[in-house]
Amino acid sequence: YRMKEIIVGNIRNLVGKESRHEIPDVERLRFHTDTSNCQAKACKYAKKFNAEVKKSVNLEENINIHRISVLRAEVYRLNDASCKRGFRYLAVEEELKGKYEKWNSNNGFVREAKEDDSDDNKMQCQVAQAFSHFSYEKSGGEEMVVDIQGSNYVYTDPQLHTTLKMLGRADRGVPGFNDFFRTHKCNFICKGLGLEARTKAKDDSSLHS
């Protein structure tokens, strides 16, 4: 849903989102809360990623590595007589501008750079994959930000995999880690940040499955 927030003459274009999946009414608030928690964690990892890229001696000549950010959603409760309980929940965030791209998913899909991509698109692709890899290493192998999508280095609707599967139905835990590493190819950013090249999660047998 497209929305506008008007406060003392200041107008913000917003987007209200609901899950496309069938979710019982009593679970919808939990769904949106999990989504908001994913975004909050992804924001923290994005800030750490930007800081590490900036200070990395190995990457100091690559000045074209753009800072990344993650949109934060707020959960709105709206009155709606058409709903069984008389209201619905929406995850509301700022409207993205520019061309929308999906860089990876929560089930192992990784969007690789194509020959006919622009230089900036190739860079966006590498940044997104390195960010997912970085979040895993930075968390000590406990979490990973995936489902990277958005526009011009601004991401929306990320998902996290966690060893304890604490962040909703799309949190696939260790199998999610392994699916990412099965298709991920380390790029110059991964190498510049000193991230370990992997084909699966570390100490896979000792982690939760």
Side-chain angles (χ1 to χ4, degrees):
Y1 304 95
R2 294 185 183 279
M3 309 168 68
K4 287 185 182 293
E5 179 185 76
I6 304 175
I7 302 177
V8 193
N10 183 40
I11 301 176
R12 282 201 309 157
N13 292 321
L14 304 174
V15 175
K17 300 179 179 180
E18 285 186 300
S19 173
R20 66 180 184 275
H21 303 292
E22 288 294 328
I23 301 175
D25 285 346
V26 294
E27 295 181 18
R28 285 187 175 273
L29 178 57
R30 172 63 184 274
F31 170 81
H32 288 304
T33 301
D34 286 340
T35 298
S36 182
N37 288 338
C38 280
Q39 289 179 316
K41 282 180 170 286
C43 279
K44 292 180 180 180
Y45 283 119
K47 291 178 181 178
K48 292 177 180 179
F49 178 80
N50 291 333
E52 292 287 335
V53 167
K54 184 176 180 179
K55 73 179 185 182
S56 173
V57 174
N58 297 323
L59 294 173
E60 62 184 6
E61 295 181 1
N62 296 287
I63 58 175
N64 293 322
I65 301 178
H66 201 285
R67 291 177 61 83
I68 62 174
S69 61
V70 180
L71 292 180
R72 289 294 308 274
E74 297 178 329
V75 181
Y76 283 31
R77 172 174 156 162
L78 304 178
N79 293 330
D80 188 339
S82 68
C83 294
K84 184 184 300 184
R85 304 173 73 192
F87 59 85
R88 67 173 61 198
Y89 292 108
L90 295 177
V92 179
E93 64 186 29
E94 289 189 30
E95 184 178 19
L96 276 176
K97 298 178 181 178
K99 182 182 178 183
Y100 186 92
E101 294 274 6
K102 189 175 183 74
W103 301 111
N104 64 39
S105 72
N106 73 327
N107 63 3
F109 162 75
V110 169
R111 201 291 212 177
E112 296 185 357
K114 305 171 185 175
E115 285 190 13
D116 59 350
D117 278 340
S118 66
D119 288 343
D120 185 58
N121 248 37
K122 291 176 182 177
M123 179 64 78
Q124 287 190 56
C125 184
Q126 294 183 92
V127 168
Q129 314 313 341
F131 175 49
S132 288
H133 189 172
F134 170 86
S135 64
Y136 176 81
E137 300 294 346
K138 199 66 178 179
S139 71
E142 296 291 320
E143 299 178 335
M144 177 188 286
V145 183
V146 292
D147 221 5
I148 307 296
Q149 56 198 308
S151 175
N152 296 322
Y153 302 96
V154 180
Y155 304 145
T156 181
D157 289 339
Q159 175 62 47
L160 265 77
H161 294 318
T162 64
T163 54
L164 298 178
K165 296 184 180 179
M166 299 182 298
L167 291 172
R169 61 177 62 191
D171 179 352
R172 298 181 53 244
V174 174
F177 299 158
N178 287 332
D179 280 347
F180 174 80
F181 286 122
R182 177 174 50 81
T183 52
H184 171 63
K185 298 177 182 177
C186 283
N187 58 51
F188 78 99
I189 302 174
C190 300
K191 296 172 184 176
L193 293 175
L195 306 181
E196 184 174 340
R198 301 181 181 279
T199 57
K200 65 178 183 178
K202 55 182 166 183
D203 298 325
D204 187 18
S205 60
S206 66
L207 294 173
H208 299 267
S209 59

